[in-house]
Amino acid sequence: MSLLEFLQQFKPVLLQGTLVTCTQFLLAALIAILVAHVAGLGKISRNPLVRGASVIYIEVFRGTSLLVQLYWIFFVLPLFGITLPNFTAGYISVGLNIGAYGAEIVRGAIESVPRGQWEAGTALSMPQGVRMRRIILPQALAIMLPPWGNLLIELLKGTALVSLISVADLMFQTRQINASTYLSAQAFGTALIIYYILARFLITPMMRWAERLVARRLGRA
């Protein structure tokens, strides 16, 4: 069977799986960005409890496998009375894992802002929260956006693992097609192309647009 015939026959299934993958990506990205900022700020907090909790989260989720974390959230948490649907467990696992890496990006970007900017806020008698929100974070955002682009591509690729808990994403549908037709080259080749298109023509342009937008806001265009 040619690739064109393969696409014509399995187009609805592949589109459905791609839609689920995109949904998983968007929800996981929201969790990752939120958790990364909370943990990144927490790691530089002067409060030892907040800093300790942030360090534990970052070290645990960076130091263990995403697959193991996925299985823990889906299979082990029910033993403690917390049961999540497979779809929810999928994007939460990926989001928490990538968020741990993003937290270090956030922390590093904030600490890369020149000390003079911190001192300027202090000289203007700005409260710490206002200084962080209006002076430090906008400049840190320009620093953290390029590595976040790479991290979001890693997040997209990480969503393929949710197929192992029967989330009907692109990889799950591809494996089902392969199991029933044995057309491995066509099935996995199509999946490879779709993942590449999502990364190259969706995530990369979006992040470059965000970088240009932030640069203009900071007068660096």
Side-chain angles (χ1 to χ4, degrees):
M1 179 184 291
S2 68
L3 180 60
L4 182 59
E5 293 172 337
F6 176 85
L7 292 175
Q8 289 175 342
Q9 180 175 349
F10 295 104
K11 178 181 177 181
V13 176
L14 292 170
L15 286 177
Q16 181 183 2
T18 302
L19 179 60
V20 173
T21 290
C22 291
T23 305
Q24 283 278 318
F25 168 78
L26 291 174
L27 293 173
L30 288 175
I31 291 177
I33 292 170
L34 176 62
V35 171
H37 280 79
V38 172
L41 290 169
K43 194 170 182 180
I44 61 176
S45 172
R46 296 178 181 177
N47 187 315
L49 293 178
V50 174
R51 186 170 61 252
S54 299
V55 169
I56 291 173
Y57 158 70
I58 292 171
E59 293 302 321
V60 168
F61 278 87
R62 288 177 68 203
T64 57
S65 166
L66 171 57
L67 180 59
V68 175
Q69 295 163 18
L70 178 66
Y71 283 165
W72 256 86
I73 289 176
F74 186 63
F75 292 113
V76 179
L77 285 186
L79 302 178
F80 299 94
I82 304 175
T83 302
L84 298 175
N86 59 348
F87 186 89
T88 304
Y91 69 77
I92 287 179
S93 302
V94 177
L96 290 177
N97 178 269
I98 298 299
Y101 293 91
E104 287 298 319
I105 294 177
V106 173
R107 178 199 58 77
I110 290 174
E111 292 183 342
S112 296
V113 176
R115 298 307 303 176
Q117 300 296 314
W118 297 76
E119 294 167 359
T122 303
L124 294 172
S125 301
M126 285 186 174
Q128 184 176 357
V130 175
R131 179 181 61 185
M132 179 65 69
R133 186 177 70 253
R134 300 190 63 179
I135 297 179
I136 306 304
L137 281 180
Q139 297 182 65
L141 184 61
I143 299 171
M144 70 176 75
L145 275 177
W148 261 107
N150 292 329
L151 201 58
L152 289 178
I153 292 175
E154 290 298 320
L155 187 151
L156 172 65
K157 293 187 289 186
T159 60
L161 290 179
V162 304
S163 64
L164 297 176
I165 57 172
S166 299
V167 176
D169 70 331
L170 174 60
M171 185 53 60
F172 179 87
Q173 301 291 9
T174 301
R175 289 168 55 201
Q176 294 292 101
I177 293 171
N178 180 63
S180 60
T181 64
Y182 299 101
L183 297 172
S184 301
Q186 293 90 329
F188 292 110
T190 301
L192 184 149
I193 293 170
I194 292 174
Y195 277 111
Y196 176 78
I197 290 173
L198 292 176
R200 179 64 180 83
F201 298 103
L202 179 64
I203 299 175
T204 300
M206 179 183 68
M207 296 306 296
R208 288 178 178 170
W209 171 82
E211 290 175 28
R212 291 194 298 268
L213 178 63
V214 171
R216 284 198 299 268
R217 292 286 180 88
L218 294 176
R220 299 177 183 176

